[in-house]
Each structure stands twice: as C-alpha cells, then as structure tokens.
Amino acid sequence: MKYPGSWNALAGAFLFLIWVIFFQGSGIELVLGFAFLVLVPLLLEEAVQSAEGSRPEKWLWSVMSCSLPFSAAGMIAISLPSGNEAGWWAAVWFFYTLLIAFGGFMRLLGRGFGPVEETVIDIGLIYIAVGGGWLVCSSAGWPGIFPYSETILQLTVVHYHYAAFVVPLVTGFFGRYRAECNRIRKNFMVTPYLWLAAGVMAGPLITGPGLSLVAPFTSITAGVYFLVLVWLCLWWFWLSVYFKLWIGMALRSASLLLLGTMLIALFTSLNIWLEAYWQQLNTIVGYHGLWIASVFSVLSALAWRGVHAPKRHAYTVFPISHIRAERGSINPKINYKPWAASHEYVTGLVHDWSPFNSRHFHSEYIDALVKRWFLHTGDFHVQASIQWARGFRTIAGRISQWGLPPSGCVALQGEAISISDYKDGRNLVRAWITRNKQTKEPLNTALYSFHEHAGETYFNIGFPVPRAVLTVIGRLETDGKGGLLLETMRREDGRGDEGIYFTLGEWTMRLPVRGMFHVKKAKTEGDLLGDLYLRLGYINLLHIEYQMKERRAG
C-alpha cells in the first residue's frame, strides 16, 4: 500500500463517526478517539514520508501501517467504565505508543541531535508514550493513587496526545519547510527557529494538567509556553501568503484555533489554581477538546502534508560492513580468511581516486604524494606519536584493545587484504591490518571502503567488534595546499553522512565523537605528515601525529 497512513486515517474517520453516532461520549473521549483513529496515522505518515529510509523509519512505517487495531483498542478503553477491563484495553494502546516512541528514540540516536526540526519530531514521537501510560492510569481507575481527580487524569492524557504529540510534529514539518527555503534562498536565520523548537519541546513537560508544581511556577511556565505558541501562530500567519490558497487558509485558521486553545488552557489552569474548576470545567473541556484542539490538529496536519517539505537528508542509510568480530575476541584478532577475496592483490587503502570526484571534491587538487600514500600505503614507513588527553590516560589501556594504544611512540607496519564485497556488503573493501613493527603485535584493523550519497562520495571505514561494528564516515576536503582532510563533523547545513556510528544488530547510533584526519606533504622530499584528532564534543580525547616516509628504490 502506497499511503497506509492516509488510508488508516480515512478508515479511522469512518469508525469515529459510527462511534459518535452510537456512543454518547464526553468531550474528552471524543478528542482522544479522534487522535487514536485519525491524527496518529496521518502525522506518522508525514513524519516518515517513505517506506524507504533508515532502520528506525522503516520501523515507524510498519508501526503506522498497522495502527487501526490498536486505535480500536484505545477506543474500547475510553468507551468502557473505569476498571480492569478498560485498563487492559488501554494497555494495548500504550504498547502501540511505546512502539512509536521506540522508533522516535532510535531515529534520534541514529541521527544525533540535529537538525533541530527532526529532533522536535522525534521528541513528539517519544511524548506520545507518556500519554499512553496516563491513559492506562485513567482507564484502570487509579485516580486514588494520584493526587488528582479522574477529570485531571483524562486531561493529562489529552495533553500528551495533542500538545505533546501534534504540536511538536507540525512544528517539525514547519521546520522542514524553513530548511528547504534556507537551502534555496539563503535568507533565513537559524536561531529563531531553534528557540521556538526548544520551547515547543519543553512546554509539554512543564505545563501538563497533572503536574504538582508550585502555583507561581506553574503560571510562569504556562505563560512562557503560551508566548511560544503565539510566536508559532504569528509565524504561520506571516508565511501563509506564500502557499496555495487552501493551505494558507488552513494555516490561518489553525493559528487562530491554537491561540484560542491556549487561552482556554490558561483559563483552565487559573481555575485549578483558584480551586474553582468544578464550576465550569465541563464547558471548558468541551470547547477545548472537541472544537478547538481537534480542528486545529487536523487543519495543521493537512496543511503541512500539503506543503510536504522534504527532509534535509536521508540519514543513516549508508552501507555498513557485515563483518563482526568473533564472540570473546577483539578487533585486531579477527580471522579474515572466510571474508578475503584471495584472487585480488592490493597495496593500499583505496584502489583509485576517480570514484571520489564529485561537485564537492576534486582529487586533482591533492598532491601526488598524498594520493600515492592512499593508493600504496605499504610503500611507506610510518611512525606514530600517540598522545591521550590527561584526563583520559587512565582509560587508554582499556581502549588500546580496540586498536588505540596508550600514549607513546610506535613504528607501524601495515598489511592490506582484499575483502569480498558480497560478504562485507560494501564496494571494493580493503582490510588494513596495522601492527607494531618491532613486536608484530596487532594494533588496529580497519575495513576501508567508500559510498556515494546525494552526489557526494564518502570514506566508509568499519572497525568490527563482537556482534557490532564501529563505522567512521568521513567527507573529503582539501586544505588548499595539496593536503587532504577527512572530517566527520556534520556541516552547518546538516546535510551529509559524516559522523562516527555504532551499529548493534540492525540499529545504528551516531556517537557524540568527532574525528579529523589531515595528511599533508612535509618539507622533506618524499615525506608526509599526518594528524589524527578525536574529540568528545569540544573536549580533546586523542591526538596522533604520523610521519610517513616513502621507501626509496635500492
């Protein structure tokens, strides 16, 4: 099925109408039923956009495709009186929200905390599981164990299905549109949206109806969140003139409804603070739940689905080595005989420079000696001076078994082995085994390959470990002096594969570690210098200085 979310939402809308006709539900129940049956599949489909993508996005697409039975379970839960039976049906919906939250969490880990528009979407996907948990508490009849009434518990469920799920997702869709405009027009500032997204992500945690906070603090946080959403509405108003007529009208209407929702939410908080909520709460909930939150949600969802701004980049879809270390062993001791392509003799890390040429990088600007080192690495004597940061020297001994020895100087000797592309899963793979030249002890084994994505070619280096693999994706840059830079830090526009990733099973996580390798020509003829930096955020972990001297004939 090409659009499973849309079809599930359409079927859910039909079931919702039948439910409304035959069951006289309260305003809260109507709002929740609409979210279960219509909004969740509609928004999930726009968040993922395609069945092709990273492992978490494929997971979310599969979860979205089977939403209808779980939505029906949620409907049964809110239709039954509070008790054990309703609680078990609510637990089915809670399980489904956990599946969504897991996909959002793994999507966040795989990509890292940027770009911000994707992060705010992931946070919304995680928040919905909190709403599912509160639904179990409300449906099972557990208000006695909380200092809240049943109505407050139900309002908290609504809060985490709308303010904590719908608003972050549509804010993320809006951010995708801004990022695409920024790419084309280059005239948008980044900071304002960062603050807006931060407010949208933090707001649901500090403004929920079920929070036992000090009254002045509750009022302040609600006021700040109100200003954030007013800002969002005004921004949508300003941009609405650039869209098609129906999209512009939907955004303007949704903005007005969101402002109305926040005014009513502030009024509800004030009533609760003054302990007067029992007088007007039913009226407030009816308008807030049925006519405002639901209509805003469906209008904003349809509008941004109509815009359908693309994601900046398809993250973590690059090929990853299938080779893993044996259980109980460590990287340098891998037996490569079953993986080797014995018919091919190789001498270096790469076979040719032509695959790396693209609109971002041209190998003709690299010095011939630098290129020769990558092509014939075994023809060079290599001396390494390793320096760990002072605060990390104590763990250097443990990390040394992963191929990073403690501080000191060591002469290196390398051996290249051709690896079967079929068995590794990547192109033209070479295993480069580094040893201590004096003791012959293995120090490091790396699987060198490359991949092309979005018109750019990256170095793709795998370091197998037991049941997992560490992958370094480096983009190629020139230093303007004939040297070569391999950089894993994500560029400012957030578009690219570069990074250091850890893959366990089929799930890939981006590590908060940055690596940079710089190879340049030395002043002495036939010599090269290299610098390898490893940083944790802005903290220096490791610096290795290489001296590469080409062997001369005779």
Side-chain angles (χ1 to χ4, degrees), residues 165-205:
F165 176 70
V166 175
V167 176
L169 263 67
V170 295
T171 303
F173 303 158
F174 166 50
R176 286 177 177 175
Y177 166 77
R178 289 193 68 258
E180 183 65 12
C181 291
N182 187 39
R183 182 185 69 83
I184 298 172
R185 303 176 185 175
K186 306 293 184 183
N187 63 347
F188 284 102
M189 296 178 64
V190 176
T191 305
Y193 182 79
L194 289 176
W195 285 105
L196 175 69
V200 169
M201 288 186 285
L205 284 178

Side-chain angles (χ1 to χ4, degrees), residues 197-361:
V200 169
M201 288 186 285
L205 284 178
I206 57 179
T207 60
L211 293 178
S212 298
L213 301 175
V214 180
F217 182 73
T218 303
S219 302
I220 293 172
T221 55
V224 171
Y225 189 48
F226 174 77
L227 293 177
V228 168
L229 295 184
V230 169
W231 183 11
L232 178 65
C233 294
L234 294 177
W235 212 339
W236 285 8
F237 257 105
W238 176 56
L239 289 175
S240 61
V241 297
Y242 296 104
F243 300 115
K244 297 177 182 178
L245 178 61
W246 76 268
I247 295 177
M249 292 181 63
L251 286 177
R252 287 188 286 271
S253 301
S255 301
L256 289 173
L257 288 168
L258 181 57
L259 288 174
T261 302
M262 294 310 301
L263 288 172
I264 291 177
L266 283 176
F267 182 64
T268 304
S269 300
L270 183 62
N271 273 265
I272 294 173
W273 182 22
L274 299 176
E275 298 183 354
Y277 60 87
W278 61 81
Q279 299 174 1
Q280 299 172 331
L281 191 57
N282 289 333
T283 303
I284 292 171
V285 170
Y287 281 97
H288 175 271
L290 181 59
W291 296 110
I292 299 181
S294 299
V295 178
F296 156 77
S297 300
V298 73
L299 283 176
S300 58
L302 291 175
W304 290 114
R305 279 174 60 94
V307 175
H308 194 59
K311 293 174 284 189
R312 293 198 200 187
H313 189 74
Y315 298 98
T316 61
V317 297
F318 46 81
I320 294 174
S321 174
H322 298 162
I323 296 179
R324 302 291 185 269
E326 296 177 0
R327 186 176 180 180
S329 66
I330 204 62
N331 193 18
K333 299 178 182 178
I334 297 174
N335 179 15
Y336 282 98
K337 289 183 179 180
W339 307 89
S342 57
H343 62 279
E344 183 180 359
Y345 173 75
V346 296
T347 60
L349 308 181
V350 300
H351 77 293
D352 187 12
W353 278 101
S354 58
F356 295 94
N357 293 324
S358 67
R359 58 188 177 91
H360 300 279
F361 174 80

Side-chain angles (χ1 to χ4, degrees), residues 57-128:
E57 290 181 333
K58 291 178 180 177
W59 169 276
L60 287 169
W61 188 269
S62 300
V63 169
M64 173 199 62
S65 301
C66 61
S67 66
L68 209 54
F70 296 95
S71 302
M75 294 295 296
I76 295 173
I78 61 177
S79 301
L80 294 173
S82 298
N84 290 335
E85 186 177 356
W88 283 113
W89 285 110
V92 175
W93 174 254
F94 177 44
F95 173 74
Y96 183 72
T97 61
L98 287 175
L99 297 180
I100 296 174
F102 176 76
F105 181 68
M106 296 308 298
R107 186 173 177 267
L108 179 64
L109 287 183
R111 190 192 61 258
F113 289 97
V116 65
E117 69 272 9
E118 301 299 329
T119 300
V120 71
I121 290 174
D122 293 337
I123 295 300
L125 297 176
I126 295 171
Y127 273 149
I128 195 173

Side-chain angles (χ1 to χ4, degrees), residues 247-538:
I247 295 177
M249 292 181 63
L251 286 177
R252 287 188 286 271
S253 301
S255 301
L256 289 173
L257 288 168
L258 181 57
L259 288 174
T261 302
M262 294 310 301
L263 288 172
I264 291 177
L266 283 176
F267 182 64
T268 304
S269 300
L270 183 62
N271 273 265
I272 294 173
W273 182 22
L274 299 176
E275 298 183 354
Y277 60 87
W278 61 81
Q279 299 174 1
Q280 299 172 331
L281 191 57
N282 289 333
T283 303
I284 292 171
V285 170
Y287 281 97
H288 175 271
L290 181 59
W291 296 110
I292 299 181
S294 299
V295 178
F296 156 77
S297 300
V298 73
L299 283 176
S300 58
L302 291 175
W304 290 114
R305 279 174 60 94
V307 175
H308 194 59
K311 293 174 284 189
R312 293 198 200 187
H313 189 74
Y315 298 98
T316 61
V317 297
F318 46 81
I320 294 174
S321 174
H322 298 162
I323 296 179
R324 302 291 185 269
E326 296 177 0
R327 186 176 180 180
S329 66
I330 204 62
N331 193 18
K333 299 178 182 178
I334 297 174
N335 179 15
Y336 282 98
K337 289 183 179 180
W339 307 89
S342 57
H343 62 279
E344 183 180 359
Y345 173 75
V346 296
T347 60
L349 308 181
V350 300
H351 77 293
D352 187 12
W353 278 101
S354 58
F356 295 94
N357 293 324
S358 67
R359 58 188 177 91
H360 300 279
F361 174 80
H362 300 283
S363 60
E364 59 264 25
Y365 296 112
I366 303 299
D367 187 88
L369 185 62
V370 174
K371 290 192 288 187
R372 192 156 65 247
W373 182 76
F374 282 89
L375 293 170
H376 306 285
T377 317
D379 293 343
F380 288 76
H381 297 287
V382 181
Q383 186 82 17
S385 175
I386 303 165
Q387 184 64 43
W388 284 90
R390 181 173 300 177
F392 295 90
R393 290 176 183 174
T394 56
I395 65 171
R398 292 180 177 269
I399 301 180
S400 65
Q401 61 182 342
W402 295 69
L404 296 175
S407 298
C409 295
V410 59
L412 303 179
Q413 182 180 23
E415 176 188 2
I417 300 175
S418 178
I419 300 296
S420 168
D421 293 352
Y422 174 75
K423 295 179 180 179
D424 182 275
R426 297 175 297 162
N427 296 321
L428 299 171
V429 185
R430 279 106 183 273
W432 183 256
I433 303 174
T434 305
R435 293 182 172 86
N436 185 313
K437 191 173 182 179
Q438 294 180 341
T439 65
K440 306 303 180 182
E441 178 187 1
L443 295 176
N444 177 272
T445 300
L447 304 175
Y448 282 82
S449 182
F450 62 91
H451 74 268
E452 189 274 335
H453 188 197
E456 186 169 3
T457 303
Y458 301 85
F459 258 105
N460 187 316
I461 311 169
F463 297 87
V465 296
R467 298 184 178 181
V469 63
L470 187 73
T471 304
V472 177
I473 306 297
R475 71 172 182 270
L476 286 77
E477 297 180 354
T478 60
D479 63 1
K481 301 178 181 179
L484 178 68
L485 286 166
L486 288 180
E487 178 61 78
T488 68
M489 184 176 182
R490 184 171 288 159
R491 62 202 81 189
E492 291 185 4
D493 63 4
R495 305 172 192 273
D497 290 346
E498 56 269 17
I500 300 178
Y501 302 86
F502 182 76
T503 301
L504 181 63
E506 296 182 354
W507 300 94
T508 298
M509 296 160 280
R510 192 176 196 272
L511 303 180
V513 180
R514 173 194 176 188
M516 193 273 287
F517 183 47
H518 184 198
V519 182
K520 59 185 177 182
K521 193 173 182 181
K523 295 181 179 180
T524 307
E525 184 67 25
D527 291 357
L528 294 173
L529 298 176
D531 286 284
L532 173 66
Y533 295 94
L534 194 65
R535 296 185 176 96
L536 177 63
Y538 294 99

